[in-house]
């Protein structure tokens, strides 16, 4: 049964469950990892009524008008006096609002003469400061478990004074390249051989997805060797195979997996490149057979294996980085499959142009590109200027 890529992704997301175990790490080491505890606010945020502007703390009812300046409040200082009727205090961004004041007027909207300030406009009570606790009250949950920690959340850990944080263990991903034509990247291939590039691009993708990759030796296209490597691969949390899942005489990966008792959730998805991608489970571990053409491998990892890594890591999922842009030229393809083609997205993200390429083995073209154009399966042609989907690289 062939699935659309959305259906296949849903299958992955619903089958794979979190590994569960967690460890304490320092906040910076937690960047990119998945939170395994709730983070409460240790105090009110902001902890005091905080001026959002440089200007004057005033009583809104007094303006427009001319006020007496009774002092200055810097960030990091506390002002003990109250602002009475007809009075103002000069205040800096980040300083606590003094008692009596209920608004801050921006310095740009004032004229000062000696110890008097003239304010020509009306203000609403509450303007230009953040009341205590408005962002979060003490004890309320700032972050829930299951969140992948980006720089904003790392800043929040520091804000709340956390020196250690509980994150889920990173999944270990075994990578098994297959193919008689392959030599290791450090070796010199003979004329009819190629270097094993997929293991390295997959490993880089695994790192980016928050997993720990382990590249295993190349499995040759015979039953014994492939079976031995696959069995070793099942020692990891997730097994990613490259190659050997097409219809060729020596594509034996699926046969080996079946003999190991595998359940196959899908073995074909309506995409190109990457149509023969395989997803299943054997020996309590999930595996993917990623088609060996380097672009097929890249695309199928991004669409499916990354979702599995998210789930194993304890995160619900990371949405695909899909957006829309206007085609820079007319475009057509043969409908039936969703196609992912290397493309160049303009700097402002508004325009997309296909990159010249020579099929799903053309790693150089994808390296030149900065995105993939996503051609929907149910549509044949687009005119220049029409919207089309784009997946970031
Ligand atoms: P396969 O999926 O095994 O039929 O391989 C499809 C194409 O991808 C063939 O041209 C292979 O030579 C190539 N290929 C397979 N594995 C790799 C690899 N690890 N690195 C680079 N290219 C590969
Ligand atoms: Mg092969």
């Amino acid at each position: 049964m062939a699935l659309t890529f959305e259906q296949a992704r849903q299958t992955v997301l619903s089958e794979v469950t979190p590994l569960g175990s967690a460890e304490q790490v320092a906040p910076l080491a937690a960047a990119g990892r998945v939170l395994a505890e709730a983070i409460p606010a240790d105090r009110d945020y902001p902890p005091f009524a905080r001026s959002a502007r440089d200007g004057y703390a005033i009583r809104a009812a007094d303006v427009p008008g001319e006020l007496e300046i009774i002092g200055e409040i810097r960030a990091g200082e506390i002002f003990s006096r109250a602002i009475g009727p007809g009075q103002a205090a000069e205040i800096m961004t980040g300083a606590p609002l003094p008692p009596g004041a209920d608004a801050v007027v921006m310095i740009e909207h004032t004229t000062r003469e000696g110890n008097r300030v003239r304010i020509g406009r009306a203000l609403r009570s509450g303007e230009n400061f953040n009341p205590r606790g408005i962002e979060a009250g003490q004890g309320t949950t700032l972050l829930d478990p299951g969140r992948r920690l980006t720089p904003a959340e790392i800043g929040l850990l520091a804000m709340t004074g956390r020196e250690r944080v509980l994150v889920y263990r990173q999944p270990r991903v075994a990578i098994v390249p297959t193919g008689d034509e392959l030599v290791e990247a450090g070796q010199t291939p003979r004329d009819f051989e190629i270097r094993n590039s997929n293991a390295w691009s997959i490993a880089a993708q695994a790192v980016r997805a928050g997993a720990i990759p382990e590249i295993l030796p190349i499995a040759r296209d015979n039953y014994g060797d492939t079976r031995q490597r696959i069995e070793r691969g099942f020692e990891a949390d997730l097994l990613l195979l490259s190659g050997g899942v097409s219809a060729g005489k020596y594509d034996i990966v699926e046969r080996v997996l079946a003999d190991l008792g595998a359940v196959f959730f899908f073995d074909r998805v309506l995409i190109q490149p990457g149509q023969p991608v395989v997803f299943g489970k054997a020996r309590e571990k999930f595996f993917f057979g990623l088609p060996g053409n380097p672009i097929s491998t890249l695309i199928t990892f991004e669409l499916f294996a990354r979702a599995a890594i998210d789930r194993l890591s304890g995160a619900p999922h990371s949405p695909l980085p899909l957006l829309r842009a206007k085609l820079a030229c007319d475009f057509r393809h043969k409908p039936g499959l969703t196609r992912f083609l290397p493309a160049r997205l303009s700097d402002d993200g508004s325009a997309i142009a296909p990159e010249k390429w020579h099929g799903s083995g053309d790693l150089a073209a994808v390296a030149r590109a900065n995105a993939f154009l996503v051609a929907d399966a149910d549509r044949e042609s687009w005119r220049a200027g029409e919207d089309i989907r784009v997946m970031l690289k």
Side-chain angles (χ1 to χ4, degrees), residues 176-179 181-183 194-200 202 218 221 242-248 250-251 276 290-294 296-297 360-361 363:
V176 174
T178 73
E181 73 281 32
L182 301 179
V183 301
I194 58 167
R195 293 193 183 92
N196 165 25
S197 61
N198 287 348
W200 297 92
I202 294 170
I218 296 162
D221 292 324
S242 133
V245 291
S246 307
Y250 299 97
D251 292 326
L290 307 179
N293 262 314
S296 312
T297 313
S360 49
L363 196 52

Side-chain angles (χ1 to χ4, degrees), residues 59-337:
R59 301 156 70 102
D62 285 351
V63 296
E66 194 182 292
L67 307 175
E68 177 202 358
I69 302 166
I70 61 165
E72 177 190 280
I73 317 164
R74 299 156 53 146
E77 265 183 5
I78 187 88
F79 192 68
S80 48
R81 294 169 60 192
I83 306 296
Q87 294 184 326
E90 198 175 358
I91 193 166
M92 314 302 152
T93 303
L97 196 75
D102 67 349
V104 172
V105 57
M106 290 165 67
I107 189 108
E108 293 86 340
H109 299 154
T110 65
T111 16
R112 180 174 183 157
E113 273 162 40
N115 72 338
R116 301 200 62 83
V117 60
R118 205 169 36 248
I119 297 146
R121 60 174 64 203
L123 263 87
R124 275 175 287 107
S125 175
E127 261 189 86
N128 294 328
F129 76 93
N130 288 38
R132 175 174 176 162
I134 190 82
E135 294 158 8
Q138 181 177 15
T140 58
T141 300
L142 294 170
L143 295 176
D144 285 309
R147 174 175 288 272
R148 205 176 273 287
L149 298 170
T150 74
E153 290 95 41
I154 300 302
L156 195 131
L157 293 173
M159 177 181 100
T160 55
R162 300 294 298 248
E163 287 183 295
R164 310 287 289 173
V165 59
L166 193 67
V167 290
Y168 289 114
R169 177 168 81 72
Q170 291 174 282
R172 288 176 303 115
V173 175
I175 300 165
V176 174
T178 73
D180 283 342
E181 73 281 32
L182 301 179
V183 301
E184 297 294 3
Q187 293 175 339
T188 305
R190 290 176 288 177
D191 289 349
F192 47 90
E193 293 172 332
I194 58 167
R195 293 193 183 92
N196 165 25
S197 61
N198 287 348
W200 297 92
S201 59
I202 294 170
Q205 287 179 294
V207 167
R208 190 165 75 167
I212 301 171
E214 183 189 4
I215 299 177
L216 297 180
I218 296 162
R220 298 304 169 190
D221 292 324
N222 64 70
Y223 189 92
D225 204 42
T226 302
R227 181 165 175 141
Q228 190 193 338
R229 300 295 180 213
I230 287 179
E231 290 194 291
R232 168 65 182 79
F234 279 132
E235 289 174 20
D237 300 309
L238 176 68
L239 168 61
L240 300 181
L241 290 132
S242 133
V245 291
S246 307
K249 198 166 156 191
Y250 299 97
D251 292 326
I252 51 173
V253 163
E254 277 169 279
R255 182 147 59 87
V256 171
L257 288 164
D259 288 352
L260 291 170
V263 181
F264 293 91
F265 302 112
F266 56 77
D267 64 1
R268 189 176 157 228
V269 180
L270 297 170
I271 54 169
Q272 195 185 53
Q275 188 168 185
V277 60
V278 173
F279 171 53
K281 191 175 189 179
R283 304 207 166 163
E284 302 296 304
K285 303 289 172 67
F286 291 96
F287 61 80
F288 288 90
L290 307 179
N293 262 314
I295 317 314
S296 312
T297 313
L298 279 168
I299 291 288
T300 50
F301 181 103
E302 219 48 36
L303 294 180
F304 310 118
R306 194 161 71 98
I309 290 172
D310 276 336
R311 298 292 291 128
L312 290 170
S313 308
H317 71 103
S318 314
L320 287 175
L322 287 172
L323 45 115
R324 301 189 76 89
K326 292 201 185 314
L327 269 164
C329 55
D330 291 352
F331 175 79
R332 59 191 304 121
H333 81 138
K334 189 163 156 274
L337 302 175

